[in-house]
Amino acid sequence: MGQRLSGGRSCLDVPGRFLPQPPPPPPPVRRKLALLFAMLCIWLYMFLYSCAGSCTAAPGLLLLGSGSRADHAQPALVTAPNETFPKMPFRASLAAGKDKTVVAGSQEEQSPEAPDSPSPISSFFSGSGSKQLPQAIIIGVKKGGTRALLEFLRVHPDVRAVGAEPHFFDRSYHKGLAWYRDLMPRTLEGQITMEKTPSYFVTREAPARISAMSKDTKLIVVVRDPVTRAISDYTQTLSKRPDIPSFESLTFRNRSAGLIDTSWSAIQIGLYAKHLEPWLRHFPLGQMLFVSGERLVSDPAGELRRVQDFLGLKRIITDKHFYFNQTKGFPCLKKAEGSGKPHCLGKTKGRAHPAIAREVLRQLRDFYRPFNRKFYQMTGRDFGWD
C-alpha cells in the first residue's frame, strides 16, 4: 500500500494540494513595445491639447482672422519725407476685431465668408502660416517700374507678395475682404504680405477703401518722368494694337493751338499731384513712400534700401543682388526668388520707344512742369524731371 502520512493518507490523497508548477513565460517583446507606444501617444495628445488652449489664449499668438496682432498694433510712424526711416519690426495693422467685408456703396459688414484661421497645432505641424490682408501695397503708377520693384522685393525672406495684380480696390471690391485675403500667400510671424496694382493710384475710390480695410496700411508709389511714362504707356498699347493712331495725334486735342488732351489716359496718369490729393485726405504723408523709377534703374540697391527701411525690414537686398543687362538697359537679379539662376524682367519690359518729334516733347514738358513742381512740394522730394 506504500508509505502513509500521519493522517493515514498518501500524499496524492490530500485535498487542495498540487504539485508545484513552473512560472508563466514573460509576454512577448512586441506587446511591451505596443503598450509603450500607446502610452506615448496618449501623453502626446494630452500635451498638445493643453498647449492648444494656452497658445490660443496668448494674445501675441492670435491669428489675423481672429484679431491677430491687432490688439498690439503700434500706431503708424509719421516721418518727414527727407528723413531716414528708422529700422523697426513691422507690425500688422488691422484694428482689433475689425476684420470686415466692405461692399461698394454699402456700410461695412461682418464677413460671414471669412475662412477659419488654422489652429496653433496645425500651423505648428504644417509650417505654412496663415493668409493675412496686406500690410503694404504698391499703389502705382502704371509704367513707372512697379513690376521691377515687386520682383526685387520678393528676394527678401520677410516679404511675401501676390504675383498677379489683384485689382481688388478698383474692379473687384464687391467681392469682399474675405475673397481678397484668400488671394494672398501664406505668411509666418514677422513676414509682410504685399500686393501691387498700379491703377489704384488713379482710382478715386481706392484711398477710402484701403483706409476702411486698415488705416495703417503702408503705401508705395513708383513715379517716373510723366513724359517718358506716357511714351512707354503708348508703346505698350501699340504692341497690342498696331493700328492705333500716332502718339502725336493722341496727345493733342488741338495740335495747332498746342492744347494737350488730358482725357487720354496716357497723359492723365502723369498728373501725379492731382491724383495724390485724395490719398493725403485718408493717409498721412509719412505712411507713403515715393520711389523714383529712374533711380530704380540707375541705382536699384539705393532705392531698395529706402523701401526696406520704410517697411521696417532688415537691409538684406544690396548691390550684390543686381547686375546690369546691357541688352535690356535694365538691372536684373543675379538670383531670383526660389531660384539660383539670374532673372530679368520679361520681354514686355524694356521695349524700344518710337521716335517722337522734339517739338511734341517740348510741349509736353511745358505742360507737365507746373504739375511736377507741385508734386515735388507735396512729397518733399525733387525728382529732377524738369
Side-chain angles (χ1 to χ4, degrees):
M1 297 295 296
Q3 186 178 7
R4 295 182 177 274
L5 297 177
S6 57
R9 297 184 181 183
S10 70
C11 147
L12 297 177
D13 296 330
V14 179
R17 301 287 295 270
F18 302 95
L19 292 175
Q21 300 291 327
V29 175
R30 289 184 179 179
R31 289 180 57 191
K32 288 187 176 182
L33 290 176
L35 181 60
L36 181 62
F37 179 78
M39 294 177 63
L40 181 62
C41 289
I42 294 173
W43 177 84
L44 182 61
Y45 174 80
M46 295 178 65
F47 172 79
L48 292 176
Y49 184 83
S50 61
C51 178
S54 60
C55 290
T56 304
L61 296 177
L62 289 174
L63 299 175
L64 183 60
S66 57
S68 169
R69 293 180 266 177
D71 294 339
H72 304 279
Q74 308 235 344
L77 180 68
V78 179
T79 309
N82 292 329
E83 294 179 353
T84 302
F85 295 97
K87 295 170 71 174
M88 58 183 293
F90 192 91
R91 300 279 185 177
S93 54
L94 288 179
K98 293 186 179 179
D99 185 12
K100 300 178 180 179
T101 297
V102 186
V103 181
S106 66
Q107 296 181 344
E108 296 181 1
E109 298 177 358
Q110 185 68 32
S111 170
E113 306 175 53
D116 293 334
S117 299
S119 69
I121 296 179
S122 62
S123 296
F124 175 80
F125 281 111
S126 66
S128 60
S130 58
K131 294 188 177 185
Q132 313 284 355
L133 291 169
Q135 298 97 30
I137 304 176
I138 301 174
I139 60 173
V141 300
K142 180 184 179 185
K143 306 308 295 179
T146 58
R147 171 55 59 184
L149 177 60
L150 185 70
E151 292 301 311
F152 295 163
L153 273 175
R154 291 174 76 177
V155 173
H156 201 293
D158 289 336
V159 172
R160 298 281 288 138
V162 183
E165 297 173 3
H167 283 281
F168 174 65
F169 294 103
D170 56 352
R171 301 178 188 172
S172 302
Y173 194 60
H174 61 281
K175 296 182 180 179
L177 286 178
W179 177 87
Y180 181 49
R181 179 172 56 187
D182 195 52
L183 298 178
M184 300 298 129
R186 293 184 178 275
T187 53
L188 301 174
E189 185 71 24
Q191 291 183 317
I192 297 175
T193 302
M194 291 188 66
E195 70 116 317
K196 78 105 178 171
T197 304
S199 55
Y200 290 164
F201 188 63
V202 297
T203 301
R204 295 194 64 84
E205 298 85 2
R209 290 173 175 178
I210 295 178
S211 177
M213 177 187 73
S214 172
K215 295 182 181 298
D216 296 328
T217 306
K218 294 193 174 185
L219 308 172
I220 300 175
V221 188
V222 188
V223 288
R224 182 184 185 185
D225 181 339
V227 177
T228 310
R229 197 221 67 82
I231 298 172
S232 179
D233 199 336
Y234 172 79
T235 304
Q236 183 183 54
T237 305
L238 184 65
S239 68
K240 300 174 182 177
R241 295 167 49 200
D243 58 337
I244 62 172
S246 67
F247 180 83
E248 289 86 347
S249 62
L250 291 171
T251 297
F252 295 97
R253 184 180 300 171
N254 186 324
R255 178 67 186 273
S256 59
L259 188 61
I260 305 295
D261 187 359
T262 56
S263 65
W264 184 30
S265 63
I267 298 296
Q268 202 261 349
I269 290 174
L271 305 175
Y272 302 142
K274 176 182 176 182
H275 300 304
L276 180 58
E277 289 176 353
W279 289 95
L280 294 180
R281 289 196 288 267
H282 293 274
F283 293 93
L285 188 62
Q287 224 165 289
M288 303 182 71
L289 180 70
F290 300 90
V291 176
S292 167
E294 287 82 10
R295 284 182 56 82
L296 205 56
V297 175
S298 63
D299 182 20
E303 285 300 281
L304 264 294
R305 183 165 54 249
R306 295 180 64 245
V307 176
Q308 290 173 100
D309 290 350
F310 174 70
L311 295 176
L313 297 169
K314 184 178 179 181
R315 291 181 181 177
I316 290 179
I317 306 173
T318 61
D319 285 320
K320 67 181 181 181
H321 289 89
F322 301 98
Y323 74 95
F324 193 82
N325 186 300
Q326 296 292 344
T327 303
K328 295 184 71 68
F330 206 83
C332 300
L333 290 167
K334 291 181 179 178
K335 292 183 179 180
E337 179 198 25
S339 172
K341 298 180 181 180
H343 171 67
C344 285
L345 296 178
K347 53 186 175 182
T348 60
K349 307 298 180 182
R351 297 187 185 97
H353 292 178
I356 308 296
R358 286 177 176 267
E359 180 61 19
V360 173
L361 295 177
R362 184 192 65 76
Q363 289 175 294
L364 271 177
R365 294 200 181 281
D366 290 343
F367 167 75
Y368 277 120
R369 187 170 292 110
F371 294 99
N372 291 344
R373 289 177 177 174
K374 183 177 180 181
F375 184 67
Y376 299 163
Q377 292 175 345
M378 295 172 75
T379 60
R381 183 179 182 183
D382 186 339
F383 291 88
W385 298 324
D386 299 322

